[in-house]
Amino acid sequence: MTEPTHPAYGVLRPVSPTASVLLENNPSPMTLDGTNTWVLRAPGAVKKVIVDPGYQDVEHLTELTKLGAIELILLTHHHPDHVEGAPWLADRVGAPVRAFSAELCRDGEPLVDGEVVRAAGLEIEVLHTPGHTADSVSLRIGDEVLTGDTILGRGTTVLSDLGDYLRTLRKLLEVLPDGVLGLPGHGAELPDLRSTAAEYLAHREQRLDQVRSALRELGDDATARQVVEVVYADVDPSLWVPAEWSVQAQLDYLRAEAGA
């Protein structure tokens, strides 16, 4: 039998005894190969948990309905490439939707930091991990963690709040042992999530130093765009807009730090 080529859209790919992934066909510079929709269940369990159904992509969502009984739909954060299809899927499979933000929930309560969700034979620990968005959560199942967009399978994530994000990375370094498998919202699995979190933290501190250097050159009132043109001069300009969002978060962080 021929193995599916990657990206293998529409093919449920087992990753571990408890987690499989269905890759949505929505590749872009922001979504990498596409959105990873995670399908979770304990060995032997009949029902499943779906994490991040993706856009309202009927072809993708219909494949999820073919997998059998769905007990619960969980969302890692509010961006449409993760959540837009959740109401459509919930209506068709009769499952509640839970997220950190109450606005995204349907027939279920908002997720709470430290809560343990019991579904599909699993115990899923909720970790509030803001920074990419204020409502971002990661979901820990034993020695696996679904990270949403907090940590990606490759590259770095766009930030809304750098202070929150640095605290999130330090939190992950504190609570995770070595060798935990990272299951991201985009990109391939991460064999050692703790190591990746340490690399992300070092990268963010390096970027902060680069922004500080750019401000010394441009002046303290420089705009995010001006800083991007200096710090990201070697990056494809098509990525400068999301880079500008992250630089703005860094400028806000540095200016708050200076004013403290």
Side-chain angles (χ1 to χ4, degrees):
M1 188 173 82
T2 303
E3 290 293 324
T5 57
H6 183 75
Y9 301 114
V11 177
L12 186 68
R13 179 172 62 88
V15 173
S16 76
T18 58
S20 299
V21 64
L22 187 69
L23 178 63
E24 184 176 6
N25 189 359
N26 61 320
S28 75
M30 295 292 288
T31 61
L32 306 181
D33 296 322
T35 298
N36 290 330
T37 295
W38 290 98
V39 181
L40 310 175
R41 68 169 174 175
V46 174
K47 295 184 178 180
K48 301 170 184 66
V49 173
I50 302 296
V51 180
D52 290 348
Y55 283 118
Q56 190 165 319
D57 172 348
V58 173
E59 182 177 353
H60 177 72
L61 297 170
T62 298
E63 289 301 314
L64 295 173
T65 68
K66 296 176 182 177
L67 298 177
I70 295 173
E71 183 174 353
L72 178 65
I73 299 167
L74 296 176
L75 307 176
T76 61
H77 65 293
H78 70 268
H79 285 158
D81 58 311
H82 293 256
V83 310
E84 186 183 77
W88 188 100
L89 182 63
D91 285 344
R92 280 150 185 83
V93 302
V97 179
R98 298 192 64 194
F100 194 81
S101 172
E103 296 177 357
L104 298 175
C105 296
R106 292 183 51 159
D107 302 318
E109 295 298 315
L111 298 171
V112 177
D113 184 38
E115 173 186 2
V116 176
V117 176
R118 292 174 174 83
L122 300 171
E123 293 189 348
I124 304 169
E125 181 185 2
V126 177
L127 302 173
H128 184 213
T129 50
H132 174 67
T133 63
D135 67 331
S136 287
V137 295
S138 298
L139 304 169
R140 183 176 183 180
I141 308 165
D143 58 359
E144 303 171 354
V145 179
L146 285 78
T147 59
D149 284 2
T150 295
I151 295 182
L152 303 178
R154 66 177 185 270
T156 56
T157 195
V158 173
L159 302 182
S160 64
D161 188 298
L162 179 58
D164 278 350
Y165 194 63
L166 294 176
R167 285 186 287 273
T168 281
L169 293 176
R170 292 176 182 130
K171 174 180 179 177
L172 292 174
L173 289 174
E174 288 173 5
V175 304
L176 298 180
D178 293 337
V180 167
L181 180 65
L183 307 177
H186 305 281
E189 300 82 57
L190 301 161
D192 186 346
L193 182 58
R194 191 176 190 279
S195 174
T196 304
E199 292 170 4
Y200 264 49
L201 184 58
H203 172 78
R204 286 299 166 193
E205 290 171 343
Q206 180 186 43
R207 281 295 192 211
L208 273 174
D209 286 342
Q210 291 173 330
V211 171
R212 289 186 182 101
S213 176
L215 290 176
R216 287 193 290 271
E217 176 184 335
L218 298 168
D220 289 340
D221 60 349
T223 65
R225 180 61 179 221
Q226 289 173 313
V227 172
V228 164
E229 291 173 358
V230 172
V231 173
Y232 291 82
D234 59 343
V235 174
D236 186 334
S238 69
L239 298 175
W240 280 9
V241 170
E244 195 171 338
W245 302 337
S246 288
V247 166
Q248 186 61 58
Q250 292 173 82
L251 290 175
D252 292 343
Y253 176 80
L254 290 173
R255 287 163 179 165
E257 186 180 62

